[in-house]
Amino acid sequence: MSHTSGVRQAQKAKTRRALMDAALRLLEDQSLSSLGLREVTRAVGVAPAAFYRHFRDLSDLGVTLVEECLGSLHHMIRAILADQDGDEERIDATVEAVAEHVRRYPAHIRFIARERHGGVRAVREAIAAELGGFADEVAAAFAPSLSPEGWPPEDVRMLAELYVDHMVMTATAFLEAQAAGRGVPGAGPGVGQGEPGVGQEEARGGQDEAGAGRPGPLADLREARPGRSEDERRVAATARKQLLLISLGRRHWRDG
């Protein structure tokens, strides 16, 4: 690759990244269906025609954001499932990891929470597909211990879906609690201007092209910032109890 070609590719990647970052910022307080293409390009400082060198349309950009937003959470939970064996250890690690992930990447979680049932069909389908793939991997992690107990594959998959749905629900609850702790009025998935990490820092949590120099998800968890609001502690306690209930039900699922 020539020097000129390399510079051109680097600039193209930079502009693509800037468009994604700008979209995440603009989506802090509006849905993708209400976002205008010119809003995004104006925020980046490029002509509207330049957008089409990176994405077919805003739906295409939204699908790319889905892959980034869920990809970072997916990688983290997969590592926990691989590294933790006991139920309580896995539950504690999962809840702590989700809390820290939301703290680091609030715009990612807000985007998924809103658009999972939003007005852009391609994005809804992309979220469903990503969560479905996530459930497949969780089921594969559960199967070695459940199949010998007589669990049929469809029941293992159902348990995995319950686990994944709980992770999304818990992430959304942490988002609301963390926003409330910062005093954001009407804290929730659709609100939160000025949250840290929405642009450059947050974007690196998803599709870092090379991924070099970043610690693994469990290392990130060990470096989590201490201190939590009362609302966050309440969410964490509730999430642990819910996962323990799921675990208890799992143990007795085949009793009947």
Side-chain angles (χ1 to χ4, degrees):
M1 181 184 293
S2 68
H3 174 71
T4 301
S5 178
V7 170
R8 188 180 300 115
Q9 288 300 316
Q11 183 58 46
K12 184 177 181 179
K14 183 178 179 181
T15 302
R16 178 183 174 88
R17 179 72 264 168
L19 289 167
M20 293 171 66
D21 288 348
L24 273 177
R25 287 194 299 272
L26 291 166
L27 289 169
E28 285 185 21
D29 52 9
Q30 64 179 309
S31 66
L32 183 62
S33 60
S34 66
L35 182 65
L37 186 151
R38 289 179 180 274
E39 286 183 81
V40 179
T41 56
R42 188 183 306 119
V44 175
V46 298
F51 179 92
Y52 296 104
R53 290 198 285 270
H54 305 275
F55 304 101
R56 292 188 300 274
D57 50 30
L58 282 173
S59 294
D60 187 34
L61 184 150
V63 169
T64 303
L65 288 175
V66 168
E67 294 168 354
E68 173 172 284
C69 294
L70 285 177
S72 53
L73 181 62
H74 187 168
H75 180 62
M76 177 190 66
I77 297 298
R78 183 170 54 195
I80 290 172
L81 291 172
D83 290 358
Q84 304 291 334
D85 293 326
D87 281 353
E88 292 196 17
E89 291 82 359
R90 181 178 285 170
I91 286 169
D92 286 344
T94 298
V95 173
E96 292 300 319
V98 170
E100 183 60 19
H101 189 81
V102 175
R103 186 179 295 278
R104 290 173 183 240
Y105 313 118
H108 282 180
I109 304 303
R110 185 185 305 106
F111 174 72
I112 296 301
R114 181 188 289 119
E115 301 301 332
R116 188 180 185 186
H117 305 292
V120 181
R121 179 177 179 179
V123 173
R124 291 199 311 271
E125 291 176 347
I127 292 172
E130 286 285 331
L131 293 178
F134 195 172
D136 287 340
E137 291 201 7
V138 173
F142 286 167
S145 61
L146 297 179
S147 296
E149 297 177 8
W151 281 62
E154 60 270 21
D155 285 7
V156 176
R157 183 59 159 70
M158 179 177 64
L159 177 64
E161 289 173 350
L162 186 60
Y163 186 91
V164 170
D165 283 344
H166 186 271
M167 291 305 96
V168 176
M169 179 184 71
T170 299
T172 304
F174 271 123
L175 178 67
E176 295 175 359
Q178 291 173 7
R182 288 191 296 272
V184 178
V191 187
Q193 290 185 341
E195 291 179 357
V198 171
Q200 300 171 349
E201 181 177 341
E202 181 168 22
R204 287 196 293 269
Q207 292 182 328
D208 224 347
E209 290 287 332
R214 298 187 69 243
L218 295 184
D220 284 349
L221 174 59
R222 287 190 289 269
E223 295 171 4
R225 286 174 284 176
R228 233 184 235 160
S229 71
E230 182 61 33
D231 285 340
E232 290 174 272
R233 287 194 291 271
R234 189 178 302 112
V235 169
T238 299
R240 288 189 183 95
K241 288 178 181 179
Q242 290 168 335
L243 285 172
L244 283 169
L245 278 173
I246 293 171
S247 178
L248 180 63
R250 187 198 73 189
R251 292 188 201 123
H252 297 284
W253 180 248
R254 304 295 298 168
D255 289 354

